[in-house]
Amino acid sequence: GGVPRRQTLDMLAAGGLAALMGSLTAGLARPAYAQDDDVVRIGYLPITDATALLVAHGMGYFEDEGLTAERPTLIRGWSPLVEGFAANKFNVVHLLKPIPVWMRYNNNFPVKLMAWAHTNGSALVVGGHTGIQDFSQLGGKQVAVPFWYSMHNIVLQYALKKSGVTPVIRSATDPLADNECNLQILPPPEMPAALASRKIDAYIVAEPFNAMGEMKAGGRVLRFTGDIWKNHPCCVICMHEAATTEKPEWTQKVMNALVRAQIYASQNRAEAALLMSKDGEGYLPMPAPIVERAMTHYAEDPAYIDSGAIKHADWDINRIDFNGYPYPSATRLIVDAMNDTLVGGDTTFLANLDPEFVSNDLVNYEYVKAALNAHPEWLNDPSVNKADPFVREEVLQL
């Protein structure tokens, strides 16, 4: 359906990707490969999705590979991170998985998806003041998502539709029918405060902002997203395609360090949380207890099972897991789902996208596979399918 022009402009003003990319399109087509040195330059958001990038730096894994790495640069929102990557300020970033789809096929920007940054690691948090116990009760409510092109938006809209609620995108002051849920974009760091001040009723986001919502904003986890889409991807590690073709040795060394960091984080969750927190290396601006909750606190808490935040305890997942293999089945699901997901801006580019083509063209499997084979301990992460580690079936179940 068409969106009225005024509303489109409102959504773009609210930070929709289309606005950013519209302004960048001229510069996006042919990125100047400005930095020809081999320094690893990481841009990241202050979320646990960045764990592999931050731990690899903090533990000295890049140096172990013979690389020089600058201290990673903290960015407060998705749009400026994409902009910095497009301008080649950064050569390694984590992005919400649908963003590179959008960059490569709507803007012809030569981005390559190199690995998953993690699996799971997100949730939907409702305000304690709302009394919401179920997705069906999000009708008439305001919910914040981090970005239109996000796994969060896909999973949220799947759950809403399954629960008889229609997602809409309107001005926050427009009236809503009882079965309509209004979505708006908020940068993750702004979500807990917006919930505490009751500007929104709920938000869906990456950790540690769910843990922060619980501990600091009077929020409650309605549902963990990994409990709806089992071991879903969320953020992915991306590079410029030129690096993967012109600097294969450099690319492999970076991937080796990142896979090693994922294994460390999977096996040493509390230590990795402390390292990243402001009580450790200070990559994340949150104290260790909040980051540690986000990295560890899950099925051992019977309250989550009693409340229905976890309905599939038998799935044997964690609040966040660290399997880096980018399963083609999940890429295909995301490309399919994006066609059925309400977003702000022009989505015509999605209509002709073949999921099979995207899973082969967007993703580079070669470097991550070599790194995983060199570090077989990755197989011990609970989100890896032991029977056939490089193949899996997608499970979506409300």
Side-chain angles (χ1 to χ4, degrees), residues 53-70:
L53 304 173
L54 303 178
V55 167
H57 183 266
M59 295 293 290
Y61 293 164
F62 293 119
E63 282 69 20
D64 290 351
E65 293 285 337
L67 299 170
T68 303
E70 279 183 2

Side-chain angles (χ1 to χ4, degrees), residues 36-261:
D36 290 323
D37 63 20
D38 288 345
V39 177
V40 180
R41 293 184 172 84
I42 291 167
Y44 72 100
L45 256 63
I47 49 181
T48 49
D49 307 42
T51 296
L53 304 173
L54 303 178
V55 167
H57 183 266
M59 295 293 290
Y61 293 164
F62 293 119
E63 282 69 20
D64 290 351
E65 293 285 337
L67 299 170
T68 303
E70 279 183 2
R71 183 178 169 91
T73 302
L74 171 71
I75 305 286
R76 302 286 293 179
W78 290 113
S79 293
L81 180 59
V82 170
E83 204 160 33
F85 176 66
N88 209 35
K89 283 185 194 147
F90 310 121
N91 47 27
V92 183
V93 292
H94 68 113
L95 297 172
L96 294 166
K97 180 154 187 180
I99 293 179
V101 177
W102 195 92
M103 292 175 77
R104 190 168 178 94
Y105 304 110
N106 193 56
N107 290 80
N108 300 320
F109 186 84
V111 58
K112 273 287 185 181
L113 194 167
M114 303 302 292
W116 288 358
H118 66 106
T119 54
N120 307 318
S122 288
L124 184 123
V125 171
V126 293
H129 64 280
T130 63
I132 293 168
Q133 302 289 330
D134 186 72
F135 279 100
S136 63
Q137 295 171 311
L138 287 169
K141 302 288 195 256
Q142 304 286 336
V143 180
V145 298
F147 218 62
W148 296 132
Y149 292 95
S150 64
M151 180 285 311
H152 307 89
N153 199 18
I154 289 171
V155 169
L156 171 63
Q157 293 190 32
Y158 165 82
L160 289 174
K161 289 171 190 167
K162 281 268 184 202
S163 307
V165 178
T166 304
V168 297
I169 301 173
R170 297 201 191 126
S171 158
T173 54
D174 285 356
L176 290 174
D178 289 346
N179 68 334
E180 292 179 330
C181 174
N182 190 41
L183 309 182
Q184 59 176 276
I185 300 281
L186 267 186
E190 293 174 25
M191 289 183 179
L195 190 73
S197 63
R198 306 191 180 187
K199 289 194 177 78
I200 55 174
D201 301 300
Y203 61 73
I204 184 166
V205 75
E207 297 288 2
F209 291 107
N210 302 300
M212 189 182 258
E214 293 177 294
M215 295 172 82
K216 303 279 190 203
R220 190 175 62 79
V221 173
L222 180 72
R223 192 73 182 273
F224 289 99
T225 52
D227 192 66
I228 297 174
W229 180 4
K230 184 180 180 182
N231 294 317
H232 65 73
C234 177
C235 272
V236 290
I237 294 165
C238 293
M239 291 185 184
H240 296 277
E241 187 168 4
T244 67
T245 54
E246 294 162 22
K247 301 199 285 190
E249 283 174 36
W250 179 89
T251 302
Q252 189 62 62
K253 288 173 179 177
V254 171
M255 295 311 297
N256 293 346
L258 294 175
V259 163
R260 213 178 136 198

Side-chain angles (χ1 to χ4, degrees), residues 4 20 25 48 54 79 113 123 175 199 202 213 237 239 267 272 291 300 346 349 351 381 393-394:
L20 157 76
T25 305
T48 49
L54 303 178
S79 293
L113 194 167
K199 289 194 177 78
I237 294 165
M239 291 185 184
Q267 295 175 349
V291 185
E300 74 288 347
D346 178 15
F349 80 98
D381 190 82
E393 203 173 313
E394 301 307 318

